[in-house]
């Protein structure tokens, strides 16, 4: 009989780091929604999270990273769906399934973040530009995954 092995649990130090990162992110999001992205300072976020300003910047090097802290997941999400498709499943079917799963889960990384968060993005020229760049990155990752899946040249439009 095969024994299932659970993945190792995060140590106390790693758990504390994750909790601190989430605390900072939560306070930043709350302040950005209430005051606006451009109007909120790193110092205000640090005060709200009860950490040093340097701690905030250690976890989030750029202010935009505080508002969009799942950038890599977003940019690679469509490519991951293509790469992880089931045997015999087309890329399109895998993308449809991934989208349906995101809708069912109301996944904030896929864009189901609520009207307040969406307003925060649209009201901020900085964040709007950053999100456009993330969409470009996502298209690039998807194009690369589709080229690999079809055996096409990566530069083939």
């Amino acid at each position: 009989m095969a024994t299932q092995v659970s993945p190792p649990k995060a140590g106390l130090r790693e758990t504390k780091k994750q909790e601190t990162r989430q605390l900072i992110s939560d306070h930043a999001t709350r302040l950005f929604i209430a005051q606006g992205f451009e109007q909120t300072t790193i110092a205000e976020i640090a005060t709200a999270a009860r950490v040093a300003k340097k701690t905030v910047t250690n976890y989030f090097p750029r202010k935009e990273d505080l508002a969009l802290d799942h950038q890599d997941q977003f940019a690679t999400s469509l490519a991951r769906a293509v790469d992880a498709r089931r045997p015999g499943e087309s890329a399109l079917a895998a993308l449809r399934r991934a989208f349906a799963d995101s809708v069912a889960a109301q996944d904030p990384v896929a864009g189901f973040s609520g009207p307040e968060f969406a307003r925060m993005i649209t009201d901020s020229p900085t964040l709007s530009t950053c999100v456009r760049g993330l969409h470009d990155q996502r298209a690039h990752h998807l194009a690369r995954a589709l080229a690999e899946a079809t055996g096409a040249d990566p530069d083939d439009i």
Side-chain angles (χ1 to χ4, degrees):
M1 178 186 342
T3 305
Q4 288 207 350
V5 178
S6 300
K9 293 183 180 179
L12 184 57
R13 171 176 259 158
E14 188 57 36
T15 300
K16 180 66 175 158
K17 285 181 179 180
Q18 291 170 0
E19 289 171 353
T20 300
R21 186 181 197 286
Q22 189 62 54
L23 176 73
I24 294 167
S25 176
D26 290 348
H27 281 289
T29 300
R30 180 182 54 77
L31 288 169
F32 292 153
I33 288 171
Q35 300 174 180
F37 178 79
E38 272 77 16
Q39 293 75 22
T40 303
T41 67
I42 298 294
E44 289 173 312
I45 294 164
T47 299
R50 298 179 62 183
V51 298
K53 187 176 169 185
K54 181 70 174 164
T55 302
V56 174
T57 58
N58 282 340
Y59 282 95
F60 301 94
R62 299 176 318 136
K63 188 175 172 185
E64 295 86 352
D65 298 335
L66 283 157
L68 304 168
D69 62 333
H70 298 286
Q71 294 177 45
D72 291 338
Q73 288 172 283
F74 177 81
T76 60
S77 61
L78 300 179
R80 280 194 326 268
V82 170
D83 292 340
R85 67 189 185 282
R86 298 171 181 154
E89 183 178 36
S90 72
L92 179 58
L95 290 167
R96 283 182 177 154
R97 182 173 44 80
F99 181 74
D101 291 348
S102 294
V103 170
Q106 295 291 292
D107 183 0
V109 174
F112 298 98
S113 54
E116 297 88 7
F117 191 87
R119 175 66 51 210
M120 174 192 76
I121 299 290
T122 23
D123 287 350
S124 167
T126 303
L127 292 179
S128 293
T129 299
C130 190
V131 168
R132 278 193 298 279
L134 289 172
H135 280 280
D136 290 343
Q137 288 179 36
R138 188 166 71 161
H140 172 77
H141 289 295
L142 176 59
R144 190 179 61 214
L146 290 171
E148 286 177 21
T150 60
D153 183 336
D155 295 326
D156 185 349
I157 60 169

